[in-house]
Each structure stands twice: as C-alpha cells, then as structure tokens.
Amino acid sequence: MFHSHLDNLNEKQVEEQFCNTEIQGAFILSSCVTFFGGLIILVIFRKLFSSGRSGLNPLRRFYFYRVFHDRIELLLSAQTFVGRVLVILVFVLSIGSLIIYFINSTDPTGMCSTSEDKTLSVDLSFNAFFSFYFGLRFWAADDKIKFWLEMNSIVDIFTIPPTFISYYLKSNWLGFRFLRALRLLELPKILQILHVIKSSNSVKLSKLMSIVLSTWFTAAGFLHLVENSGDPWLSGRNSQSMSYFESIYLVTATMSTVGFGDVVAKTSLGRTFIVFFTLGSLILFANCIPEMVELFTSRRKYTKSYEAVKGKKFIVVCGNITIDSVTAFLRNFLRHRSGEINTEIVFLGEAPPSLELETLLKCNLSFTTFVCGSALKFEDLKRVSVESAEACLILANSLCSDLHAEDISNIMRVLSIKNYNSQTRIIIQILQSHNKAFLSKIPTWNWSAGDNIICFAELKLGFIAQGCLVPGLCTFLTTLFIEQNQKVFPKHSWQKYFLNSLKNKILTQRLSDAFTGMTFPEVCRLCFVKLHLMLIAIQHKSVFHNCRSLILNPPAQVRLDKDTLGFFIAESSQAVKRAFFYCSHCHKDVHNPELIEKCGCKTRSQEELTGPAVVVVKSSTSCISECQDSAREQESSLSIASLKNRGIKVSDTPEDSDQLDSSGMFHWCRSTPLDKVVLKRTDKSKHEFRDHIVACVFGDAHSALVGLRNFVMPLRASNYTRQELKDIVFIGPLEYFHREWRFLRNFPQIYIMPGSALYTGDLHAVNIEQCSMCAVLAAPSKPLSSQILVDTETIMATLNIQSLRVSGSTQRPSEPEAKAVPTFSKHEGKRRYQQIPILTELKNPSNIHFIEQIGGLDGALKGTSLHLSTSFSTGTVFSGNFLDSLLATAFYNYHVLELLQMLVTGGISSQMEQCLVKEKHYGFHEGCATVLSGRARCKLGLLSLDKTILSDIKPRKTFGQLFCGSLDSYGILCVGLYRVMDEDENNLENKRFVITRPANEFCLLPSDLVFCAIPFSTTCYKTEAMPHKLEKVPSAQTLDDITNVMAMAPESPEQLPKVSTVAEKTSQHLSSRVYPS
C-alpha cells in the first residue's frame, strides 16, 4: 500500500513537471503573434504614411531621426571600437544561449523547468540584451519590412518572446531555442574583426564551416523537438524519447546518405522533414565538405615555408604561375641541364595550384616546390628565402588582354623583391618595350650582377624586321634558339637537311690561351677547319676602356685577349669545349676533332706580343663616360685611320654624313608630323613605291600598343647607309597610329596608309606588287573564349595577300640593269605568276595548319609543331612562343641573350640601354669615333654564289671551301644557306628553305644563297655601272632572277685547305691582315 501511494505521488509530480498543451501553445503563440502582428503593422504603416519623397522610411524626414539613425548605423557596422565590441558581445552571448539550450536539452522536451532553475535567469538576461540589440538594428534599418524578414530577425522573434513568457509563467520550455545555432553564420565576420583570419582561403573555409555547423545543429534541434513532442493532431501519442545527441547522430547519418536505421524518425513531421532535408543535405554535403577538406589540406600544404639548405642551389619563380607557363618553363629550364639537375625550383603562386598544375608538380617533385604567397609581401618573400636564391625569375602572361597592367604588376614585384633584398638577381619578362625604362631607374637594379630583361615586343618585332630585310633570316635566327625533341620522319630530301640543321644552337665557351694575340679571322678559320666549330662573335675588351662588348665577326685589327668568350654555332656543349682544350703544341698533328681533349701540357703560355692591337669596333657607348680626354683623342685618331684604310668614307663635317641618333646606332630625322606621312588612295600616282616594306597592323583607339618602334629600329640601323634604307609603309587604322606615332616620328622614310589589309584596294594603293616584303603583324590581345581565334585577322589578311599574283618577269625598278636577267627554268611555260613575299606572325603556333593550307604547300610534316612546318622552314611564318625559353637561357648564360638582342634589334645592348636611360647625348665632335665604329659593325645579308663577289672564290664546291675563301679574301663570315626546294612541279615558285650551319663537306648548288655576316665597307655585288654601291639584300621576288641562270655544281667534295703553320703558332703573329674592300 505504501509503494502504491508513492507511485501515485511520483506520477502526480511528473505530470506537474511536464508542460501541458496550453503552456506549449502559449510559447509558440507568443512568437507567431509577434512575427505576424509586427509584419502587418509595418505594412499598414508603409501604406498610410509613405510618400514619393520620403521613400521606404517616412521617419527619415525628421532631423533628429536621421542623426540618430546614422550614429546607430555606424555603431552596427563595427567600424568603431564600441561597434566591434558590441558585435562580438552579441555573438558570444548567442553562443552562450546555445550552450544553455544544450544543457536543458538533456531533460525531455516536454518538461517545464521551474523558476528554481538557475539557467532560466541567465538566459533571460541574455535575451534582454538581444532585445536591446534587436531594437538598435530595427532603428537603423532603412527598409523595416525587409529587416523583419531577415534570418537574424526571425531568430530573435522566435527566441526572445518565449523567454519573457517563461518568466511570467514561472516555467521554461525548450521550444524554438535551437534557432540560436543559426547565429554561427556570423563566425567569419567575427574572426575577421578579431584579425584571426586574413587570407581569402581562410575566409572561405570559415564560411563553409559555419554553414555546415549551423545547418547541423538547427536540423538536429528541430528533430529533437518534433520527435519528443509528437504530432500535434495526435496529441503527442506517437512521440518518442530522443536525446539531442541522438538527433545529431540521425542528422549526420542523413547528411552522409549512410542511414544506419538504428535511430529513425517516427512522427509525421519528423519524416517529412527528413525527406526534404535529405535532398538539401546531398547538395550541401557534396559541395561543402570536399571543398573544406581541399582548403584545409592545401592551406597546410602550400603555406609552409621553404627550408633553404646551405650549399643547395635554388631559384624562385613568380608572376604568371599557370599550368601552361610552368610546363613551358620546366621544359626549357631542364633541357639546359639534362640528366644533371642540381638546382631546385620554388614556385611562388598567388593562388593554390590547379589540379593539372598539382599533377605536373608531383611528376617533378624531386626538384620543384610550390609555395602559396605573393612576391609583393615581405613575409611571403621570407617564406621562400629569396635572399638565398640564385635568382628570382618573373613570368609574364603574353596572352593577356591588358599588356600594360601585366608589365606594371611585374615591375611592382621587382620593386618589392629589391626592397626586401637588393642583392637578389632578377630576370623578368616584359611585354612592352617602353616599360623597360622603369626597371633601369630602380636604384638597386644592377646589370653587371646579372639582372636582365627579356622584352617580348622588342625581340619578337626584331625577328620580324630581320626577316623583312633578309628573306629567311627570321627562321635562321629562330632555329638557333628552339629545341627540337619531336620524332619526325622526313619524306623529302630538303626536309632531312632542314631537320639536321635544327640541331645547331648558339653556345658560348672561353677560348684557349693558345688563341691569345691572334686575330679573329685566324681564330675563326682554325676553329672551323681543325675543330669543326663555327665561331661567329667574341666578347672583346677595349684597350682604352675597362669594358667588354660583343662583336659579330670582328675585323683583323682586333686581337683576342686571354680568357676571351667566344660564341659558336654548334650542336652540343661538349663540342665547343674543344676551343677551350685546344693546345697549339699538343694538338698540332691531331686531325680528328673528337680527339682534342684536355692535355697535360704545362707550356701553354703565350709569348709577349711585339705589336700593339688596334681596336676598331666598339659597340658600347657607355664606355665613353669612363675614359679620359687624352685616351679619347688617341682612340679617335686610330679608329678613323683604320676606317679609312678599310675604305669607309669619313666625313670632315657633320653635314656630309647621315643623320644618326645620339647613340650612333640608328638613322634619325627631325620630328615629322603625322599628317605629313599619311597617304591617300586617290594620290597613288604620287607615291609609287618600289622595293619597299609593307607592314599590316591591326588595332583601334583602345587596344594595347604593339610597339612598332621595335619593328622600325632594326630597319633603320646605322650599319645601312641612307641610300640602302627601304621605305616602310604601314597599313592600319589611323586612330591607332595616332598613339604609336610619338615613338616613330624621328625615323626617316615611314608612311602610313589608313585602311586595312583585309581590303584589297588598300593593298594596291601602297603598290604591294612591288614590295620586297609584306609583314602581317599579330593583332593586339583581346579577351576571347578560344585561343584559336587570336590569329583570325592575321590569317584572313594572309589569305587576302596571297590571293594576289604578280608577273614573274616584272623587272624591279630598284635593281640595276645588269641584274635584269631573264629567268630560265624547265617550268617556264607554267610559271607566269608568283606570290607576294609575305611574313606572317602567329600568336598561337597551333594555327600553323591554316597558313599551310593558304600557301598550298605540299610535303609538309603533318601533325607537327610550327617549327617543323614547311612555312617556317621557308621563312614565311613566325611565332614568338619560343621566347619563353629565353628565361632559362638568361639564367644559365645571359651572354647568349645579349648576342640575340644585338642580332635582332640592330645593335642594342644592355650597356647601351644604361647610357640611353641616363640620357647622355654626345655631339659629333667628341663621339665621332664611337659613331663610326658603331656604324662599322657587321650586318647580316644574303649573297648569291654567282652575282656577288663570292663568285671569285675558287674552289667553292663545298661549304667549307666557301667559308674559308670568303673569310680569307673579304672578311665575310658565311653561316648558313637558303636553298631551293626540290625541283619538281610542286615547287613552281622555287620556294627556298633554311639550312643552319651546314657541315664542312656539305656540297653547294649554284642556286644556293648564303647567309653572311658582312663587314660594313664591303662591296658585294659586281656591278660595273655602280662600282661603289654597297650590297643590296636580294628580296624574295628577285631570288629567282639570281638563281636560275647558274650551272649545277659537281657533287664530289674536295678537301678543305689545310691550316697554315702561321695560324697554329701564335708567337709568329706580328702583323694584322687587312682585308680588301
């Protein structure tokens, strides 16, 4: 009986502790009445009091309201200290209220907490503060209705009123207090205010975590409520006891789509919620969780600092770090040290690597490291130990739409790196040439320490300009700097010759002391005959100035110093080492160049020279500032005397000479207004151009500048006389030339035809039928969806120009009558017309198949790259994509880059750039020797074996005989051939292909043209009518007139002339050989 009475008492107490339906309805009704009642009041208020001028909030017409509103808005924006404290405090109290909910959720949901519960008063104080914060937000809101429907407002409406009801009823019910978990969405904002997270990845990770956690806790709270309360229409009869932990477990199983089935929802509300929540959780789980894992792992993986090991070399690469740029860089960087990689590469990227880039880095994990950071931040530069790096290489995006912005961003990286550590060597890629001046003005920029600039516009347009001056020269120079690893099976004999020539590269090597005191022609001949090496240039130190400059094919007056650096065209670095190992004593009787290795001879010292060396060529104008007046006068007299001996006319007065710029490297004229050079199609009779150069330009008033000055400068180099300069006619939009003209107005013989190369009438207006070369320049970069379309205008212009035909028998007015020889060929009856000579620039090399189709070329190496195409081998197409390889070339051997710059730009060097930046201009009286010696530099040309002085060389059946004969007799350096393709019906126009550095025993054909480095004063063409006329480079139109009248050469090669004992014993070189002019 006692036990039954006790059970009845416990049941009565439990019934009193459980909230009945009326109490639960009071809690829910308080929130619903507040929400819907307030919304109705706001709508009625807007309709009654709103007007057109007052907008959404009619109270803003009162001054005190506006002032108070602005201050509250400033406070809630967390821009002040008090505002930040308020926002952080609200978030902390919201988390505290959520924790109280977790504590109370351990009791059944239907239980009503009494007033004795200490958490009730704490939660009441929290909600009182939330009410105050809600009022501030409501007052600051411009649109009250929009504010009322915000998520944070709904959370407050459904959590704050029940708290006051619980205080009035002296009991507390969990109800909708789980909605406080939605306050976790404010976590990223709080962390940013506290400066806990700064990077974009950290902010993104915190946002994803807040979304997942808030969704997780809120869904679990709803299931906990409905499963413990049951369905309202069944009066809770289908309820079940489910703890909050079990609710979280059920939500986790649902989000992960596992669904173990041990904990399930039994109520209809719970099951309905699970149906919709499963669909939403699939999207949430599939998107957020993998991204969170990736961000978390990548943050730990790529934010670590690079640990520099003492004694281990490494470089830092930053800038445009993408899959394409990194692939090209690794391919070019690693080929220089194939099989012996001892330099680690640290990539500093501003964003985590893509999946493709990450895969590439894993394939080269042994020598590559990726660090996420920016070169503009000192802390990131410290993380990659840039102060200990061998160099810092900065990549540029050559395909970007805003070239100037790309250059400026890279220049800012240079400033940041130099400010962090001024001794760091920097090699940077620049897209526009006029931006180079900013780098030279950086105080810590040091050319002598290895800092270097690779200017894409300067080199790219320089290559094209050389191709306009000398047909095929653009391809000849390009083959010296590209790497061919693709396996190709040639179908024709000419393809075999062309592919074999691709093996040759520009290489450098310190020359043996055995060559000290010898002249360049003697050393060049000895290297070619005995070592099978082609020496083309040296780095020479002036006698009067402490500076070194590069000289291409120096004259006999220049003698080699000790440790002279030589530039060779050879196949491998092992081959050029023969020039370093050569010993005149030990290798005198060695005839196989492969046997020339390092000897143990201890008597390799040279005897003292008995005669002084006279320096003629001096390409660096910066040396003038370092010499004394007496030395300048002595050098001037020697130089001028030497020039007179070689046949160069030295004028006594400035009026008798050509006008040159301050450096003496380019022809110059007074500034010409743009309207003076603009042509009109109606005045074609007034400008009958002959033997001129036509350049097709695309652009508009807003496109990026191409930098046409870099195209004009090689065409106006001072080593060409004013009579040899060809007219340059640009075709393009006039509004574009208005922006370019300030860089071109001081160059002579430039004309502009407003129009387009896509219109045939504009092409005929500039007399394109009589041009020596037509260059189609690539259009400025534009944001396009496909990279295939970047060359659309270029390809269409090429199609338009090649559709034009000119008569093959048309005599060019610029040619002398002696050369107007009729062409005879077995295809004479078929060949009545020929195409206009053209050189097309492609930005995307994969578009080469369009050019091949337009040219109708057969026998192409199908499925191969641009540099294996028929159009490239003939010199009719060019692409600057190989310029990326120069970054690695500049790191390993910056001398090669200097030589390339000198060859394609008309003689510009880094030393000259230093002088031009400092704006040191010299008058004619004090710089006469410098100007003349600058003009006396060699120029690249194309000579016929029949119509030039090369016809006097006997014998000349092989390339070796021609090389030695031209070098001995005229000081001309032969470096390659321009040969007619197979004589068949498919080559009706006698197209030619380039052969770089033929073998010594390579048999010549009478129709071959020879690429040569020609001294300035040498007269090349044998013309009785004009005995003093210097050589004129044959254009593509007149090549057939020169070649088809010659007889076939014998096929059997003869032995090369033996090297004389005078050339092998340097002690007997007492005088210099002067070549006849």
Side-chain angles (χ1 to χ4, degrees):
M1 181 177 180
F2 174 78
H3 290 288
S4 61
H5 177 72
L6 182 62
D7 293 337
N8 294 332
L9 181 61
N10 291 336
E11 291 176 0
K12 185 178 180 179
Q13 291 177 350
V14 170
E15 290 177 358
E16 292 177 353
Q17 291 178 353
F18 270 88
C19 292
N20 52 31
T21 306
E22 290 78 6
I23 296 179
Q24 295 180 8
F27 283 101
I28 297 175
L29 189 61
S30 63
S31 299
C32 293
V33 170
T34 304
F35 177 74
F36 291 106
L39 184 60
I40 293 173
I41 294 174
L42 291 176
V43 172
I44 295 175
F45 184 81
R46 172 178 292 184
K47 290 184 177 181
L48 293 178
F49 299 99
S50 61
S51 61
R53 294 186 177 180
S54 56
L56 297 177
N57 191 350
L59 294 177
R60 290 191 63 86
R61 68 186 66 180
F62 301 107
Y63 173 77
F64 75 92
Y65 176 85
R66 294 198 303 269
V67 174
F68 192 55
H69 171 273
D70 294 340
R71 292 185 179 180
I72 295 177
E73 192 175 30
L74 180 64
L75 182 67
L76 297 177
S77 63
Q79 297 182 12
T80 61
F81 175 77
V82 178
R84 288 192 291 267
V85 172
L86 179 61
V87 173
I88 294 173
L89 183 60
V90 170
F91 179 79
V92 172
L93 294 182
S94 298
I95 300 301
S97 179
L98 184 62
I99 294 174
I100 293 176
Y101 168 78
F102 292 155
I103 295 174
N104 294 336
S105 65
T106 56
D107 297 331
T109 307
M111 292 288 291
C112 285
S113 303
T114 62
S115 58
E116 297 178 357
D117 189 359
K118 297 181 179 179
T119 60
L120 179 60
S121 58
V122 175
D123 192 42
L124 180 62
S125 60
F126 286 176
N127 281 273
F129 183 79
F130 295 150
S131 301
F132 169 73
Y133 187 68
F134 179 85
L136 293 178
R137 291 171 49 237
F138 180 79
W139 192 279
D142 293 326
D143 190 346
K144 308 299 183 183
I145 296 179
K146 184 178 179 181
F147 164 79
W148 199 262
L149 298 177
E150 287 180 355
M151 186 190 63
N152 287 334
S153 300
I154 295 175
V155 170
D156 290 337
I157 292 172
F158 281 88
T159 55
I160 296 176
T163 305
F164 294 100
I165 295 297
S166 65
Y167 179 78
Y168 175 77
L169 298 177
K170 304 300 182 182
S171 60
N172 191 16
W173 181 56
L174 292 178
F176 295 105
R177 289 163 59 187
F178 63 85
L179 292 176
R180 281 292 169 190
L182 294 175
R183 278 288 185 178
L184 288 173
L185 295 174
E186 302 291 328
L187 179 62
K189 179 180 179 181
I190 302 302
L191 294 179
Q192 286 181 295
I193 293 175
L194 295 175
H195 301 288
V196 176
I197 56 176
K198 298 179 181 179
S199 64
S200 59
N201 288 341
S202 300
V203 174
K204 191 174 183 179
L205 180 61
S206 62
K207 286 183 178 180
L208 292 174
M209 289 183 62
S210 63
I211 292 174
V212 172
L213 290 177
S214 60
T215 305
W216 193 19
F217 290 147
T218 305
F222 182 82
L223 284 176
H224 180 258
L225 173 64
V226 299
E227 289 300 314
N228 284 277
S229 301
D231 293 326
W233 55 87
L234 297 178
S235 302
R237 290 192 299 270
N238 61 342
S239 64
Q240 64 170 330
S241 178
M242 179 185 290
S243 64
Y244 188 79
F245 176 78
E246 290 176 335
S247 300
I248 291 179
Y249 173 76
L250 176 59
V251 170
T252 304
T254 303
M255 291 177 66
S256 60
T257 68
V258 176
F260 294 107
D262 51 346
V263 179
V264 296
K266 293 182 179 181
T267 63
S268 299
L269 286 176
R271 291 177 179 179
T272 305
F273 174 77
I274 289 295
V275 170
F276 292 101
F277 180 74
T278 302
L279 298 177
S281 63
L282 285 174
I283 301 175
L284 180 67
F285 194 88
N287 291 335
C288 295
I289 301 301
E291 192 171 359
M292 287 173 57
V293 174
E294 183 181 358
L295 288 173
F296 185 74
T297 55
S298 63
R299 183 173 179 268
R300 297 181 58 185
K301 184 176 181 180
Y302 297 117
T303 56
K304 294 182 179 179
S305 300
Y306 173 75
E307 296 181 2
V309 180
K310 187 177 182 180
K312 186 175 183 179
K313 298 180 180 179
F314 71 95
I315 63 172
V316 177
V317 182
C318 59
N320 179 43
I321 306 298
T322 61
I323 178 62
D324 295 330
S325 63
V326 172
T327 301
F329 175 79
L330 290 177
R331 180 177 62 251
N332 298 313
F333 188 84
L334 300 180
R335 72 177 175 88
H336 287 78
R337 293 292 185 270
S338 179
E340 43 181 271
I341 303 172
N342 55 3
T343 303
E344 190 167 354
I345 307 171
V346 181
F347 292 99
L348 181 61
E350 298 184 357
S354 61
L355 184 60
E356 296 84 359
L357 180 56
E358 191 172 12
T359 303
L360 177 63
L361 295 175
K362 287 181 179 179
C363 295
N364 302 278
L365 187 61
S366 58
F367 51 87
T368 60
T369 303
F370 187 92
V371 177
C372 190
S374 174
L376 301 175
K377 299 179 180 179
F378 279 12
E379 55 268 23
D380 291 335
L381 294 176
K382 184 178 181 180
R383 286 170 48 221
V384 296
S385 303
V386 73
E387 68 277 1
S388 303
E390 293 291 311
C392 183
L393 282 60
I394 303 178
L395 303 178
N397 182 13
S398 58
L399 297 179
C400 66
S401 58
D402 193 345
L403 304 181
H404 182 72
E406 179 73 8
D407 281 347
I408 294 302
S409 62
N410 285 334
I411 293 174
M412 292 300 296
R413 292 185 177 97
V414 175
L415 283 171
S416 177
I417 296 171
K418 286 294 187 180
N419 288 338
Y420 179 77
N421 184 25
S422 60
Q423 303 301 321
T424 301
R425 178 190 176 192
I426 294 180
I427 305 174
I428 180 176
Q429 292 178 340
I430 287 293
L431 303 179
Q432 295 181 313
S433 59
H434 59 268
N435 291 324
K436 294 174 60 177
F438 296 107
L439 293 168
S440 300
K441 293 176 182 178
I442 297 177
T444 53
W445 184 267
N446 191 352
W447 295 95
S448 60
D451 293 343
N452 219 321
I453 305 172
I454 301 175
C455 180
F456 281 9
E458 182 180 73
L459 296 176
K460 178 184 64 176
L461 294 176
F463 271 99
I464 299 175
Q466 296 298 336
C468 292
L469 285 171
V470 182
L473 184 58
C474 180
T475 294
F476 175 84
L477 295 174
T478 304
T479 56
L480 298 176
F481 295 92
I482 60 175
E483 185 72 15
Q484 166 52 25
N485 297 321
Q486 189 173 353
K487 195 172 183 179
V488 181
F489 301 97
K491 298 180 180 179
H492 303 277
S493 58
W494 72 265
Q495 294 176 348
K496 181 180 178 181
Y497 293 141
F498 175 70
L499 293 176
N500 288 335
S501 67
L502 291 180
K503 300 177 182 178
N504 295 291
K505 302 291 175 291
I506 294 289
L507 300 171
T508 60
Q509 180 61 58
R510 294 288 174 182
L511 298 180
S512 170
D513 292 344
F515 300 125
T516 304
M518 297 174 61
T519 64
F520 177 83
E522 293 168 345
V523 176
C524 183
R525 193 179 196 279
L526 191 151
C527 289
F528 186 85
V529 176
K530 196 173 187 64
L531 307 182
H532 287 193
L533 298 175
M534 180 180 288
L535 178 66
I536 62 172
I538 60 173
Q539 188 184 52
H540 180 69
K541 184 177 181 180
S542 174
V543 174
F544 303 104
H545 311 302
N546 187 24
C547 67
R548 291 184 178 270
S549 58
L550 298 182
I551 309 178
L552 176 67
N553 187 22
Q557 283 81 1
V558 176
R559 296 183 181 272
L560 271 66
D561 300 325
K562 188 176 181 180
D563 295 331
T564 297
L565 183 68
F567 294 81
F568 297 87
I569 299 180
E571 293 186 2
S572 65
S573 58
Q574 295 295 329
V576 296
K577 288 184 179 179
R578 304 170 197 160
F580 178 74
F581 294 143
Y582 175 75
C583 176
S584 59
H585 178 75
C586 301
H587 301 140
K588 177 180 180 181
D589 299 325
V590 178
H591 300 288
N592 186 0
E594 302 292 338
L595 301 179
I596 297 179
E597 298 177 350
K598 187 176 181 180
C599 64
C601 180
K602 298 182 180 179
T603 60
R604 296 178 63 182
S605 60
Q606 301 296 320
E607 297 181 7
E608 296 293 331
L609 300 178
T610 58
V614 180
V615 179
V616 178
V617 180
K618 192 167 79 69
S619 62
S620 174
T621 59
S622 61
C623 300
I624 298 180
S625 59
E626 301 175 3
C627 66
Q628 302 295 330
D629 294 337
S630 59
R632 183 187 293 112
E633 294 175 0
Q634 182 180 4
E635 184 182 20
S636 300
S637 60
L638 290 172
S639 299
I640 296 175
S642 301
L643 292 171
K644 289 181 177 179
N645 291 335
R646 295 189 59 187
I648 299 179
K649 180 182 178 181
V650 181
S651 59
D652 297 328
T653 61
E655 289 74 16
D656 296 333
S657 64
D658 295 336
Q659 284 186 306
L660 305 180
D661 67 343
S662 59
S663 65
M665 305 297 290
F666 303 98
H667 287 275
W668 179 88
C669 69
R670 295 186 180 276
S671 180
T672 306
L674 179 61
D675 56 351
K676 297 294 183 181
V677 299
V678 175
L679 307 176
K680 297 180 180 180
R681 285 198 294 166
T682 56
D683 299 335
K684 180 180 177 181
S685 58
K686 298 181 181 180
H687 45 77
E688 287 291 340
F689 295 105
R690 297 289 187 276
D691 195 24
H692 57 296
I693 296 174
V694 178
C696 304
V697 181
F698 301 95
D700 51 43
H702 306 287
S703 59
L705 296 181
V706 176
L708 296 178
R709 179 182 60 177
N710 302 291
F711 176 77
V712 173
M713 289 176 70
L715 302 177
R716 293 294 177 261
S718 61
N719 54 352
Y720 293 95
T721 63
R722 183 62 70 103
Q723 293 74 22
E724 291 179 291
L725 299 184
K726 296 183 179 182
D727 294 330
I728 304 175
V729 183
F730 289 105
I731 300 179
L734 185 60
E735 58 270 17
Y736 176 81
F737 289 109
H738 274 288
R739 301 166 57 206
E740 285 270 16
W741 186 245
R742 63 190 180 98
F743 302 106
L744 305 176
R745 58 191 177 190
N746 291 111
F747 292 104
Q749 297 176 234
I750 297 180
Y751 304 92
I752 293 175
M753 170 61 72
S756 173
L758 303 178
Y759 181 55
T760 308
D762 293 334
L763 297 176
H764 288 300
V766 298
N767 205 16
I768 196 172
E769 300 86 355
Q770 299 295 328
C771 73
S772 63
M773 184 63 68
C774 177
V776 182
L777 305 183
S781 299
K782 299 178 182 178
L784 298 173
S785 58
S786 174
Q787 289 301 323
I788 299 178
L789 302 177
V790 296
D791 296 315
T792 302
E793 294 172 311
T794 305
I795 295 173
M796 297 304 294
T798 304
L799 175 63
N800 190 32
I801 296 172
Q802 290 196 347
S803 65
L804 304 176
R805 295 291 188 272
V806 295
S807 175
S809 60
T810 302
Q811 181 179 343
R812 296 159 51 84
S814 61
E815 299 174 10
E817 296 181 0
K819 295 199 308 187
V821 184
T823 59
F824 300 95
S825 173
K826 61 182 180 180
H827 305 298
E828 183 179 3
K830 299 180 181 180
R831 239 181 81 230
R832 296 182 179 180
Y833 298 96
Q834 62 183 6
Q835 292 181 341
I836 295 173
I838 189 172
L839 177 56
T840 303
E841 178 192 358
L842 293 179
K843 283 191 173 182
N844 188 353
S846 62
N847 288 331
I848 181 60
H849 64 277
F850 295 109
I851 303 297
E852 299 278 73
Q853 293 175 13
I854 294 174
L857 298 172
D858 296 329
L861 302 173
K862 299 184 182 298
T864 56
S865 62
L866 177 141
H867 296 131
L868 295 177
S869 64
T870 305
S871 298
F872 176 76
S873 64
T874 58
T876 58
V877 69
F878 171 79
S879 178
N881 67 317
F882 78 97
L883 296 177
D884 291 329
S885 64
L886 298 181
L887 198 65
T889 302
F891 172 73
Y892 284 115
N893 191 348
Y894 67 92
H895 297 293
V896 175
L897 180 62
E898 290 183 354
L899 177 64
L900 173 64
Q901 188 180 21
M902 182 186 70
L903 291 176
V904 303
T905 61
I908 296 178
S909 63
S910 59
Q911 294 175 338
M912 177 178 294
E913 288 180 353
Q914 296 179 64
C915 179
L916 295 178
V917 168
K918 295 178 181 178
E919 298 179 353
K920 293 183 178 180
H921 304 285
Y922 299 96
F924 187 88
H925 63 282
E926 63 174 339
C928 177
T930 303
V931 171
L932 291 175
S933 59
R935 294 199 66 180
R937 63 190 186 276
C938 286
K939 49 190 171 184
L940 298 177
L942 193 61
L943 301 182
S944 168
L945 292 177
D946 181 66
K947 289 295 181 180
T948 63
I949 56 178
L950 297 183
S951 61
D952 297 332
I953 299 175
K954 305 294 181 181
R956 53 181 175 87
K957 297 180 180 180
T958 65
F959 181 78
Q961 295 172 348
L962 177 66
F963 182 91
C964 296
S966 61
L967 187 64
D968 294 340
S969 301
Y970 307 109
I972 297 177
L973 186 65
C974 302
V975 293
L977 298 177
Y978 201 32
R979 172 165 289 189
V980 177
M981 286 186 179
D982 301 333
E983 295 282 350
D984 54 19
E985 296 183 358
N986 295 327
N987 190 22
L988 298 180
E989 298 181 1
N990 277 358
K991 291 184 178 295
R992 296 177 177 270
F993 69 99
V994 174
I995 302 178
T996 306
R997 203 283 185 229
N1000 294 18
E1001 299 81 12
F1002 190 86
C1003 297
L1004 299 178
L1005 299 178
S1007 60
D1008 287 340
L1009 301 179
V1010 186
F1011 291 106
C1012 304
I1014 307 170
F1016 176 77
S1017 60
T1018 303
T1019 302
C1020 295
Y1021 287 114
K1022 299 189 299 181
T1023 304
E1024 296 180 359
M1026 292 181 292
H1028 298 292
K1029 182 177 179 60
L1030 300 181
E1031 90 282 359
K1032 294 282 283 186
V1033 178
S1035 66
Q1037 284 193 3
T1038 59
L1039 296 183
D1040 296 331
D1041 297 336
I1042 299 176
T1043 58
N1044 289 328
V1045 296
M1046 306 175 188
M1048 298 295 293
E1051 295 294 335
S1052 58
E1054 296 186 7
Q1055 297 293 331
L1056 294 173
K1058 295 183 179 180
V1059 181
S1060 63
T1061 56
V1062 178
E1064 290 220 36
K1065 295 184 179 180
T1066 58
S1067 59
Q1068 299 180 11
H1069 301 303
L1070 302 179
S1071 60
S1072 300
R1073 181 186 303 171
V1074 180
Y1075 299 118
S1077 57

